[in-house]
Structures are given as structure tokens and as C-alpha cells.
């Protein structure tokens, strides 16, 4: 679009129609007041800081406040640690929604000390608790080992040490295919181990421990193979669920005891246990020692329970106290961090006492920004005022559209296509009407519209409670965020359903049908008496006899709901023409809006050689087609008569607009009128011209439309090239004039150098005796004043500077103030011309999706009624009552999930597509979409983004 209009020349318009007027300004803040001033600007949220021109060569690690940002990161890490510990204990965190002010810099030290103390205390408590839990788990395992081993030895003492069915090694060996090794009979095996377990065999040793249950089979097999069957293993499951001593997770474990002989087997057994992460515990040899050790273990377990409970209570108290403040602390730390991060965008002057920044801000909010700076300066106690100095620039400002909770959803839809160029017309106000309306054209059903309307109304009425609930479901957030869009879609769907006279595929006869029964009752009775199936009989109402000539007052006549033969044909014709009307109307409206943009940006070339040819092109073909559609609806009825000077025989000769449009482009000769000179209907009368001079005018329309294409393609580039040529020639003429003036001045300088100085000395000597100093007022000089603050001396002085004329803005031709690149201009113009011409044709056809989706929705609703709910009325008695409830539940569920949700989503996406096409057709006109969004420094936005990031984790 080129350079924007100079801010001082911009006309005042409501902010909803165009983006807010922006200006580039410089902030001069005293160092001591900078923190408070930036904090006030963050609360206000109307200033966007730049980091482009003031610090181009300074990396992020060389900024002044990097250390403060790192300290804030460290505090945030500690708070996240606290938050994790609180969530681990399932303690609710108090979140009152309070928005505390940004803490002062000196409060940062107190916060750091508080967080450091809490973190150290929690880590120490966690470490002690982990140690206590580990000791408790080990003592619990030792308790089970002592209990189980005592049982093993008691069984050995009674001669029941190794029953055949408890030989775990043997069973695992059989399962692993090594049963041949154990070919000895059970008596020999039992006798061998009984001898080995005899008290007289002192060389027998054993180890005891615990192992996870799922590792036991592999442990048994490896133990057998590695020790060649020279060990004896007894196992027993622990009924209680124990905690792993390393991870703390609940696990199922087994107690095992292994008997062996010799030091070599002992080494192998311990290595195998270590490999399977089995824990070995000391186990005394004598029963008396085992009992004493068991009593000591139980005593220690009870003591550990007491200490562990006290530790957990202390940890819980610390976390409960922290949970009341952790959300507020997070808010404070994030505000401090964002302030210091923003201060890094400032440039520091040589005195190290003044910070300078460049900001974008809305012109309408300058007073509020200045008041915020004054509050920040006063709160800091500084005596030097903060200065906000507006700058002249021709850089494109950011686009800032004010929104509220109602308009935000529609603004997001528009921004999805691209951020509007600065100060061009904002499509959002028009999208508030066009988007839900086009959706409703495809979705039109009063019943389904009421369901959508009530769902959106619930979201709106309960929005505060639902926002406080912080539901994280993505689908719910999508519907809740677009509640006002869904609300309007429901309202418009009720309206279009009323116009279609469609409520769950049924019609309502509110005003009385315009059609009457023209079939004789005798004929109907005769057909019924002959036994023909009434449901299969085809009845036709002839318009000349059945239609009373007065159309249904509003919407579609309910009689068409009974027309099974040609209902679809009638709705096809009506909705197809209606879709073409809506599509061309939206595209024409977009081109009309472009005129406002061109006049606003003072682009006369675009008005003359873009807007006017585009309107002529649209009018010659597409608006002419719309006029034909309206004329056919108004003039060509069921009754014969005279239409526009021609005799109209009846409905059979109603003009075919599609074939007529094709004949218009082919310039094909056609019959004039519907009847010949003798009054006979001409063949294919629907292809005849239907007003005098139609062929001539249509030929003119086609030729004018074709002539508009080269005008759109070449006229603007030609005049841009001509202006550039005149500008260059004007520069050469000025250069020649300057050369002549310089030659004359050089000739005049010769006598001046010879005689001027001696003459001046003579005059000074002559008047020396009466020389006096005179002062002039200089009132005729025009200067501008500016204020310069001297930070070192705490005062200010007025500096006079020559007035600078602002650089004139460009003309909005797309070439700016640099040299004209003719190739780029031609390519740019060719792309947009071709896109407009072809887009008018393709987008008009694309708007037929309104017709297709509307028919599909109506037919699917009719199928659902016919195939599901109508079957409930076939049955009588109690069966019919039960079937009615059941089938109504099925019908209602399918209507909500298929017709409202799925069909609604489909219509929503097609409405998005149609708006994208409308903007593509007028992308060179009223909607460029080449801007960038205004991103102010706002605590509210920063905190909302941080909270959203937390919820998405």
C-alpha cells in the first residue's frame, strides 16, 4: 500500500473501522525512576518497546540488567520447585486472582531470601524423609526376611525342609529344558540336601535377601546354571506391597534364602544377586539371635514411623504455608522479570543517569501514557520528570485494533488471514454480520439453530464461573473462546431457518399457503376405490390452477415440504440463484470499500485506474447477472402476460439464465421474444432474448469488460513511470539552473575580493569614535523551541533549533520514495489484475457451496427424521410409547452430534473459506493484510501467556 498518511493529516474516524493511529516516540527516563515508570507502563499495556535502532550491536548478554533477569529466573525456578512439591502432596494452591503491583527493586532481595530459605528447608526435609523412608523400607524387608527364614529353619528342624512341590530350582530347571540334569529321584535329592542341612555339616553356609517378584524366574535359572545345581534356594512371597529403596515406587518382592558350600559359590551367589539388584541382609545362625534381632528391628521400625510421621507433618505445614502465597509470588517475580527484560531495550547515555527508548503507542492514549510516567516518577521520588517525545517517521507502524470479549473472536478470524495493513479498513465489523450470515445460509434450520443458540447462551451466562474453573480441555476451550461467534451463528441460523421454513426438516404453516388443491375430489375417490397405493400415486398441482397469485408473506411456502416430486428441483433453483446473489454482493461490497481506502491514502491513480475499471468489470458481467436473476423472480411468474414489451406465454418460456450467460460471451444470435409474429411460441423459447436490445447491450457489456482488463493492467504502471520520468527531468533542469547561478557568483566574487575588505576597514576606522553596540529583537526569525534536561545539574534549559519540515508521505502507489522499479511494478500489477479477473469468475462459482451445503443439511435432516423418528409413529399401544422415547433419544443424539456438531463444523469451515476468497478478490483493494500486530508491553498479556503455558504442560 506504500507509505502511510502523515499522522497530523489523518482524518478522525471511529477506531472500530480502522486501526488506531500510532506514533513513534522516544522515552527519556531518569535511572532511578526507570523501574517504576516501566512498571506503570506495564500495568497500562499501551506501549510497544523497540529494540532495533538504539542497540543494534549489543548482544543480549551485554545488556545492563542481564544479572537482574538471571536472578528472576533463579527465583522462578525455586517457585516452580515449590509448586511441584505442593502438587505432589495434593495441596490446593490459593489463587484469588489478585493482581499485586510490581515489587520495588529493594523488595527483590527479601523475596530472594524467602525463596532461598524455603527451598533449603524443603530440600533438607525431603532429604531426611528420603533417608528415613529408605531405612524404613530396609528394616521392613529385614523384618520379613527374619520371619521367613525362621519358618524355613523350623521346617528343616521338623524334617520338612524340602518338600518336592516347593523345590523352586527343580521346577525352574524343568521349565528351562535342563531337567535331565536333575535325573536323580526325589528321595536321593532330598536325602542329599537333608544331609547337607544337618547340624553336623558345619561347612554349609547361606545368604538371605529380597528380590522383585518379576525377576525371580530368571534369577532361579541363572543361579542353577552358574552354580551347576550346587545351591539350594527357598523363596516366599511378601504379602505386603513394599516401596523400592531407590525410587520409592511400590513393588512386589519375594524373600529368598540360598544354601551353598565353599567360598567360590559364595562369591558367585553374591555377584548374581548384585546383577539382579537383589538386596542381601545379615541373618543370624541361631534361632535365639534371630528372635533378638527381630525384636530390635520391630522397635526400630516403630521409632522410624514416629520420626517419619513428624517429618512429613513438618513438610506438610511448610507446603501449606507456601501454597497460600506461591501464586502471588509467581506473579510478582514475573512482573519483575518482564520489567528488567524491557529495561534491556533502553539505551544508556554517557552520564549513566538517563535511559532512552523508542516506543510505538496510540496517539489517542498519549495522555494516559504521560500520566503513567508521571505516577512512576512520583513513586520513585525522582525530581527529574520523564519525557515522552514524539518522532516523525515513515516506517510502517504496527496495527492496533481495539477489541472486547464480543469482537475479539471475529477479529481473530480476520487476523487469521493476515494482520491488516496500518490504517486500512478493518474487515472485522463487517465480518460480525457476514460470517454468521453465510454460515446460517448453509446451516439454516430453526431447530438446530435454537440448539446452537442455547449452548452459546449458556457459555455467555456462565462465563465467569467457567473461566474460574480453568477447564483445560482443548475442545471445550475452542467452543468457549468462540461463544459470541457461536451465539450469532445460532441467531442467524434461526432466521435463515425461518426463511427456509425448515425446523427439523418440517415446515410450519404460519400464514396460510398460497396453493390450493386443484385436483377434483371425484378423481381422488376413484383412485382410492380402485385400490391403488396412495403412497405411490403421483399428484401434481398446476400453477395456473392451484396458485392464487399471492406469494407466501415470509420465506418458503410450506406446501413445498409436501412436494416429493419436484421439491428438490425448486429448492435447487432458488438456493443456487440466492448463493450467486450473496457472493457477488459480498465481492462488490469489498470493491466499494476499496474506494474508502484509496481516498484515505490519497491514491488518485488507484481510484481512476483500479477502482473504476474493477466496478465496471463487475457491473458488466456479474452485477448484470444478478439483475437478471431478480428480474426473472419478479416478472416471470406462472400466469401469461406481457413482460418488458414481449409476450410471455407462461412458465415454460421462463428464460434460462445459465445458457443465456454462455450465449452472451459467445455473442450468439437469438430469437427476439418468446412468440413469432403469428403468436406461436418459438422453439426453445427459454433461450430467446426477453427485453428489447438485449443482444446489443450484452455485446457492449462484454466488450467493455474486456477493455477494462488492459486498463487495470497497464494504466497505473504507465502513470507511475511518467511521474518518475518527470521527477528526473525536473531534477536535471534544476541542476542546469544551479550551474548558471554558480558561474554568475564566481564572476561577482572577483571585484568583491579586490575591494570589499579595504573599503570595510576604511569605514570601521572612520566610525570608530562613535561606535556603539546595538541589539536587535530579531522578532522576524521563526525558530522552534525544545527542552533539554541536564540530568547532572537537576535542571532544564530551552534549546532553539530550526524548524524541520516533516518528510512528505508517499502516494500509496506501492513504490515508496526510492527509484521506481518498473519490472516489479508490472509484475505486481499483472498478478493482481489476473487474480481479480479470474477470481471474480472462480469465486462466484465457489459461492455455490452455499447452495450445496444448504441442500445437504436439509436432506440429511429429512433422512434422519424419515429413517429414525417417524418409525416411532408406526407402532400403537405401549410398544409405540416405548419406541417413541427410545427413538426420540436416538434422533436427538444424532441431531446434536451429526447435524449440529459435524455439519456445523463443516459450514463453519466453508464460511471461513468464503471469507478468504472474498479477501483474495479484493486483496489489492481494501484488505492488504501486510501489517504486523501491535504487541504492547502488558503485564496482563504476559501473565496470561505464562498461565497458558503452565496449563499446556
Amino acid at each position: 500500500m506504500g507509505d502511510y498518511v502523515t499522522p497530523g493529516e489523518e482524518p478522525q474516524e471511529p477506531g472500530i473501522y480502522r486501526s488506531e493511529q500510532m506514533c513513534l516516540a522516544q522515552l527519556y527516563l531518569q535511572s532511578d525512576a526507570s523501574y517504576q515508570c516501566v512498571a506503570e507502563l506495564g500495568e497500562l499495556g499501551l506501549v510497544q518497546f523497540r529494540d532495533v535502532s538504539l542497540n543494534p550491536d549489543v548482544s543480549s548478554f551485554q545488556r545492563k540488567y542481564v544479572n537482574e533477569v538471571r536472578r528472576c529466573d533463579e527465583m522462578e525456578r525455586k517457585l516452580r520447585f515449590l509448586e511441584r512439591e505442593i502438587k505432589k502432596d495434593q495441596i490446593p494452591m490459593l489463587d484469588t486472582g489478585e493482581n499485586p503491583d510490581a515489587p520495588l527493586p529493594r523488595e527483590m532481595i527479601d523475596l530472594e531470601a524467602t525463596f532461598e530459605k524455603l527451598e533449603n528447608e524443603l530440600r533438607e526435609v525431603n532429604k531426611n524423609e528420603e533417608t528415613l523412608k529408605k531405612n524404613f523400607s530396609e528394616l521392613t524387608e529385614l523384618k520379613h526376611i527374619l520371619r521367613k527364614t525362621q519358618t524355613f529353619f523350623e521346617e528343616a528342624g521338623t524334617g520338612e525342609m524340602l518338600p518336592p512341590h516347593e523345590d523352586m530350582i527343580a521346577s525352574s530347571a524343568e521349565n528351562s529344558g535342563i531337567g535331565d540334569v536333575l535325573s536323580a529321584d526325589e528321595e536321593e535329592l532330598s536325602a542329599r540336601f537333608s544331609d547337607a542341612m544337618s547340624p553336623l555339616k558345619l561347612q554349609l553356609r547361606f545368604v538371605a535377601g529380597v528380590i522383585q517378584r518379576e525377576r525371580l524366574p530368571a534369577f532361579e535359572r541363572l543361579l542353577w546354571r552358574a552354580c551347576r545345581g550346587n545351591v539350594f534356594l527357598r523363596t516366599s512371597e511378601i504379602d505386603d506391597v513394599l516401596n523400592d529403596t531407590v525410587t520409592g515406587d511400590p513393588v512386589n518382592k519375594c524373600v529368598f534364602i540360598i544354601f551353598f558350600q565353599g567360598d567360590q559359590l559364595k562369591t558367585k551367589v553374591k555377584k548374581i544377586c548384585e546383577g539382579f539388584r537383589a538386596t542381601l541382609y545379615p541373618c543370624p545362625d541361631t534361632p535365639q539371635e534371630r528372635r533378638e534381632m527381630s525384636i530390635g528391628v520391630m522397635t526400630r521400625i516403630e521409632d522410624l514411623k514416629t520420626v517419619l510421621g513428624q517429618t512429613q507433618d513438618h513438610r506438610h505445614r511448610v507446603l501449606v504455608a507456601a501454597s497460600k502465597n506461591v501464586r502471588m509470588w509467581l506473579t510478582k517475580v514475573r512482573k519483575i522479570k518482564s520489567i528488567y527484560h524491557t529495561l534491556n531495550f533502553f539505551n544508556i547515555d554517557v552520564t549513566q543517569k538517563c535511559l532512552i527508548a523508542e516506543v510505538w503507542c496510540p496517539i489517542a492514549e498519549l495522555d494516559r501514557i504521560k500520566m503513567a510516567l508521571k505516577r512512576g516518577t512520583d513513586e520513585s521520588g525522582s525530581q527529574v520528570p520523564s519525557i515522552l517525545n514524539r518522532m516523525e517517521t515513515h516506517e510502517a507502524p504496527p496495527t492496533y485494533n481495539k477489541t472486547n470479549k464480543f469482537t475479539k473472536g471475529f477479529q481473530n478470524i480476520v487476523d487469521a488471514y493476515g494482520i491488516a495493513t496500518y490504517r486500512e479498513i478493518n474487515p472485522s465489523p463487517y465480518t460480525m454480520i457476514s460470517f454468521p450470515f453465510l454460515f446460517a445460509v448453509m446451516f439454516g434450520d430453526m431447530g438446530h439453530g435454537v440448539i446452537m443458540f442455547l449452548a452459546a447462551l449458556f457459555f455467555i451466562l456462565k462465563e465467569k464461573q467457567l473461566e474460574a474453573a480453568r477447564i483445560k480441555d482443548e475442545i471445550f476451550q475452542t467452543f468457549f473462546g468462540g461463544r459470541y461467534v457461536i451465539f450469532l451463528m445460532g441467531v442467524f441460523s434461526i432466521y435463515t431457518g425461518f426463511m427456509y421454513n425448515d425446523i427439523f426438516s418440517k415446515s410450519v404453516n404460519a400464514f396460510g399457503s398460497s396453493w390450493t388443491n386443484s385436483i377434483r375430489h371425484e378423481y381422488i375417490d376413484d383412485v382410492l376405490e380402485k385400490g391403488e397405493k396412495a403412497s405411490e400415486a403421483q399428484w401434481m398441482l398446476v400453477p395456473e390452477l392451484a396458485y392464487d397469485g399471492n406469494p407466501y408473506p415470509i420465506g418458503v411456502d410450506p406446501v413445498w415440504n409436501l412436494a416429493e416430486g419436484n421439491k428438490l428441483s425448486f429448492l435447487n433453483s432458488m438456493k443456487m440463484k440466492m448463493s450467486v446473489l450473496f457472493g457477488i454482493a459480498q465481492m462488490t461490497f469489498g470493491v466499494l470499500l476499496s474506494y474508502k481506502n484509496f481516498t484515505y491514502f490519497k491514491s488518485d491513480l488507484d481510484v481512476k485506474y483500479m477502482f473504476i475499471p474493477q466496478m465496471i468489470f463487475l457491473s458488466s458481467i456479474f452485477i448484470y447477472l444478478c439483475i437478471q436473476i431478480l428480474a426473472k423472480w419478479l416478472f416471470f411468474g406462472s400466469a401469461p402476460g406481457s413482460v418488458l414489451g414481449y409476450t410471455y406465454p407462461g412458465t415454460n418460456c421462463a428464460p434460462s439464465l445459465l445458457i443465456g450467460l454462455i450465449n452472451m460471451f459467445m455473442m450468439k444470435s437469438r430469437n427476439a421474444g418468446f412468440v413469432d409474429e403469428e403468436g406461436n411460441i418459438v422453439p426453445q423459447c427459454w433461450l430467446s432474448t426477453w427485453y428489447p436490445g438485449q443482444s446489443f447491450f450484452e455485446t457492449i457489456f462484454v466488450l467493455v469488460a474486456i477493455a477494462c482488463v488492459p486498463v487495470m493492467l497497464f494504466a497505473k504502471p504507465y502513470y507511475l513511470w511518467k511521474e518518475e520520468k518527470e521527477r528526473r527531468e525536473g531534477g536535471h533542469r534544476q541542476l542546469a539552473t544551479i550551474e548558471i547561478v554558480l558561474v554568475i557568483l564566481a564572476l561577482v566574487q572577483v571585484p568583491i575580493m579586490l575591494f570589499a575588505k579595504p573599503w570595510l576597514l576604511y569605514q570601521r576606522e572612520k566610525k570608530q569614535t562613535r561606535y556603539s553596540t546595538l541589539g536587535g529583537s530579531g522578532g522576524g526569525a521563526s525558530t522552534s523551541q525544545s527542552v533539554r534536561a541536564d540530568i547532572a545539574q537537576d535542571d532544564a534549559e530551552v534549546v532553539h533549533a530550526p524548524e524541520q519540515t516533516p518528510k512528505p508521505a508517499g502516494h500509496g502507489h506501492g513504490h515508496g520514495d526510492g527509484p521506481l522499479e518498473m519490472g516489479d511494478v508490472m509484475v505486481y500489477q499483472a498478478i493482481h489484475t489476473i487474480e481479480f479477473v479470474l477470481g471474480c469468475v472462480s469465486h462466484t462459482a465457489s459461492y455455490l457451496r452455499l447452495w450445496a451445503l444448504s441442500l445437504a443439511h436439509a436432506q440429511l435432516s429429512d433422512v434422519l427424521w424419515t429413517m429414525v423418528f417417524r418409525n416411532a409413529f408406526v407402532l400403537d399401544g405401549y410398544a409405540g410409547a416405548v419406541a417413541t422415547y427410545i427413538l426420540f433419544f436416538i434422533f436427538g443424539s444424532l441431531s446434536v452430534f451429526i447435524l449440529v456438531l459435524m455439519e456445523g463444523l463443516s459450514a463453519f469451515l466453508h464460511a471461513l473459506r468464503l471469507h478468504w476468497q472474498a479477501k483474495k478478490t479484493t486483496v489489492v483493494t481494501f484488505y492488504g493484510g501486510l501489517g504486523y500486530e501491535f504487541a504492547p508491553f502488558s503485564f496482563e498479556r504476559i501473565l496470561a501467556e505464562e498461565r497458558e503455558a503452565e496449563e499446556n504442560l
Side-chain angles (χ1 to χ4, degrees), residues 470-481:
R470 301 194 182 280
I471 301 174
K472 298 181 181 180
D473 184 73
E474 186 176 356
I475 296 177
F476 173 83
Q477 288 297 331
T478 301
F479 286 111
F480 181 72

Side-chain angles (χ1 to χ4, degrees), residues 759-804:
W759 183 79
L760 289 174
L761 291 174
Y762 169 76
Q763 291 294 328
R764 180 181 298 176
E765 183 68 23
K766 183 178 179 180
K767 298 179 180 180
Q768 187 173 6
T769 56
R770 54 189 181 91
Y771 179 83
S772 62
T773 303
L774 300 178
S777 61
S782 176
T783 60
S784 63
Q785 298 180 354
S786 62
V787 179
R788 182 176 66 194
D790 188 354
I791 305 298
Q793 301 297 329
D794 290 339
D795 58 7
E797 60 176 331
V798 178
V799 179
H800 299 272
E803 184 176 0
Q804 295 182 355

Side-chain angles (χ1 to χ4, degrees), residues 524-537:
I524 298 174
D525 294 338
D526 184 57
V527 170
L528 294 176
E529 289 176 359
K530 290 180 180 179
E532 295 185 15
K533 295 182 179 179
S535 60
E536 296 180 1

Side-chain angles (χ1 to χ4, degrees), residues 471-533:
I471 301 174
K472 298 181 181 180
D473 184 73
E474 186 176 356
I475 296 177
F476 173 83
Q477 288 297 331
T478 301
F479 286 111
F480 181 72
R483 58 192 179 277
Y484 290 100
V485 179
I486 298 174
F487 176 82
L488 285 185
M489 292 193 308
V491 171
F492 277 86
S493 296
I494 296 173
Y495 167 73
T496 54
F498 180 73
M499 299 303 295
Y500 293 157
N501 203 347
D502 194 356
I503 174 170
F504 294 115
S505 78
K506 300 288 109 180
S507 297
V508 179
N509 191 3
F511 304 102
S513 176
S514 301
W515 293 72
T516 58
N517 184 16
S518 62
I519 303 173
R520 293 180 302 168
H521 295 285
E522 296 83 1
Y523 178 73
I524 298 174
D525 294 338
D526 184 57
V527 170
L528 294 176
E529 289 176 359
K530 290 180 180 179
E532 295 185 15
K533 295 182 179 179

